[in-house]
Amino acid sequence: MTTRAYNFSPGPAALPEPVLERAKAEFMDYRGQGLSVMEMSHRSSAFIDIAARAEADLRALLGVDDDYHVLFLQGGASMQFAMVPINLAGQGATADYVHTGSWGSKAIEEARRVTHVRIAASSADGFTHIPHPSTWRPSPDARYCHITSNETIGGVQFHEFPRTDAPLVADMSSDFVSRPIDVARFGLIYAGAQKNVGPAGLCVVIVRRDLCGRTPPGTPRILDYAVHAEHESMFNTPPTYTWYLAGLVFAWLRQMGGVTAMAATNRRKASKLYAAIDASNFYSSPVARHDRSLMNVPFTLADPALDTAFLAGADDRRLLNLKGHRSVGGMRASLYNAVSEQAVDALIDYMQVFEKEQA
Ligand code: PMP
């Protein structure tokens, strides 16, 4: 009997149960080695095999070809806010940013310390939509154009990716491997693991080879993509256990039919929840319909004074982590790959019951 709750956390977030079961089975003794994966040397053949399989499965899932390095780094997505401008732009250069929410703000703030940032487009009048690419004003000399494909707090998501002259760089932390993407459209993609990939402590970076190796002399080696690529993400001790779990998640995704199958399920889950919100006068979504995120669904109650009661009732039903981000308030349901359709049904059922109770 499972006692697990329905977890709508924005991250660290729900992981697939088969992955947790597998990790549990292998926890004390990894496949007859007599030790746990977290006790192994990262140089051991068993771990090198784990690492290589994780990369191969990820490449297969997203169709990443040999023009790109796949790196497994530490420092979270926030480290990439700095590494991207350090490696791709630098002092005296210009980088374009499309500003669609709080995570974009953080990326911009960090990049400004390193390079000249130009805002090519912004929805800062509330962050409830994605500015249409026809309104963007790219810089002719931009070294890259940075977007946040899914804003985890605001719940706005790119459903199509623009064509840009400068290499497109995407923070995909909260919608990575949730749908197919055409990697060739991007110069660089990065994603913190703790939503769709695994536990916290790892950031996956997919970077076009020709964009690496351009850092100025004096750049610390640990901040240089070329150095990490040359050392196959083992320039220093990598987060081995998180990498292993990410590998289990990628293998699970392949078994489930890959990102195309995930995208269909994710669309169904989010559509149900948005339909329930739109059908009610009690709940509402602040986000423009076309740009609503399939991963993070923020919603508000007609009377914010009921928020506490709503959350307490949700907790009673083991529907956890529905509180919106402190900067925006209200509620937020995160519906990553590992959140089941059953969990979404249970949430909708509870929302309808709670609404009736207030009538
Ligand atoms: N970008 C996005 C879109 C995020 O959602 C987050 C974390 N929630 C980050 C960046 C920062 O990630 P980290 O805490 O791993 O640095």
Side-chain angles (χ1 to χ4, degrees):
M1 195 194 90
T2 179
T3 53
R4 286 173 53 78
Y6 292 129
N7 182 7
F8 298 96
S9 169
L15 286 169
E17 282 197 20
V19 165
L20 296 175
E21 290 291 355
R22 176 85 176 272
K24 183 176 159 189
E26 295 176 342
F27 190 73
M28 294 295 282
D29 178 5
Y30 178 74
R31 302 187 189 179
Q33 300 274 323
L35 36 85
S36 173
V37 173
M38 67 178 88
E39 300 173 300
M40 276 176 196
S41 164
H42 56 297
R43 310 275 179 212
S44 63
S45 60
F47 187 77
I48 292 191
D49 182 56
I50 288 170
R53 252 184 299 132
E55 178 177 336
D57 280 340
L58 177 58
R59 282 186 182 271
L61 277 170
L62 292 181
V64 185
D65 67 26
D66 212 39
D67 292 343
Y68 291 81
H69 294 299
V70 174
L71 306 176
F72 292 82
L73 305 182
Q74 301 183 53
S78 301
M79 176 79 116
Q80 297 311 308
F81 293 164
M83 279 180 76
V84 165
I86 288 171
N87 283 263
L88 271 52
Q91 294 291 339
T94 296
D96 280 346
Y97 277 72
V98 175
H99 192 190
T100 54
S102 327
W103 291 108
S105 305
K106 298 235 162 132
I108 289 165
E109 199 182 321
E110 207 62 15
R112 283 203 166 119
R113 294 167 177 267
V114 176
T115 195
H116 174 63
V117 168
R118 261 206 72 245
I119 306 300
S122 168
S123 59
D125 55 349
F127 291 134
T128 52
H129 73 285
I130 304 281
H132 193 273
S134 63
T135 66
W136 295 13
R137 308 194 52 189
S139 315
D141 56 346
R143 294 284 174 85
Y144 62 88
C145 176
H146 181 284
I147 62 170
T148 310
S149 62
N150 183 70
E151 279 285 355
T152 321
I153 294 173
V156 292
Q157 185 176 24
F158 280 81
H159 294 295
E160 300 97 37
F161 291 108
R163 293 197 181 275
T164 49
D165 290 335
L168 188 60
V169 172
D171 174 1
M172 286 197 189
S173 293
S174 49
D175 63 357
F176 193 59
V177 293
S178 71
R179 57 179 170 174
I181 48 166
D182 179 5
V183 173
R185 298 276 292 274
F186 298 87
L188 188 150
I189 292 166
Y190 62 95
Q194 65 272 24
K195 289 102 170 40
N196 272 327
V197 171
L202 181 74
C203 186
V204 178
V205 178
I206 301 173
V207 56
R208 227 170 61 202
R209 284 172 188 265
D210 64 299
L211 296 174
C212 300
R214 300 178 179 184
T215 47
T219 305
R221 289 194 301 156
I222 197 147
L223 298 179
D224 193 327
Y225 293 129
V227 171
H228 288 290
E230 187 192 326
H231 292 268
E232 300 184 323
S233 306
M234 296 197 195
F235 172 65
N236 65 329
T237 315
T240 49
Y241 199 74
T242 303
W243 194 337
Y244 155 72
L245 275 175
L248 294 185
V249 170
F250 297 146
W252 173 78
L253 281 170
R254 291 192 72 185
Q255 255 176 22
M256 296 295 289
V259 287
T260 305
M262 273 300 135
T265 313
N266 288 332
R267 182 159 292 285
R268 222 171 31 241
K269 286 170 356 196
S271 303
K272 274 186 189 182
L273 182 52
Y274 285 117
I277 292 168
D278 290 340
S280 129
N281 292 323
F282 185 78
Y283 300 106
S284 59
S285 156
V287 180
R289 274 172 200 256
H290 182 263
D291 303 321
R292 286 175 172 179
S293 169
L294 305 189
M295 293 283 101
N296 309 98
V297 180
F299 61 94
T300 53
L301 275 56
D303 179 1
L306 294 170
D307 285 2
T308 308
F310 179 88
L311 288 166
D315 274 3
D316 287 347
R317 290 183 173 223
R318 311 265 286 152
L319 302 163
L320 304 186
N321 296 314
L322 286 163
K323 193 173 189 327
H325 191 268
R326 59 190 183 279
S327 62
V328 292
M331 306 299 150
R332 169 178 47 170
S334 297
L335 311 180
Y336 301 123
N337 289 341
V339 175
S340 65
E341 207 157 343
Q342 203 184 3
V344 179
D345 291 340
L347 171 60
I348 294 170
D349 182 60
Y350 168 62
M351 288 167 69
Q352 290 170 345
V353 168
F354 185 84
E355 179 178 352
K356 282 205 193 91
E357 280 171 7
Q358 309 311 315

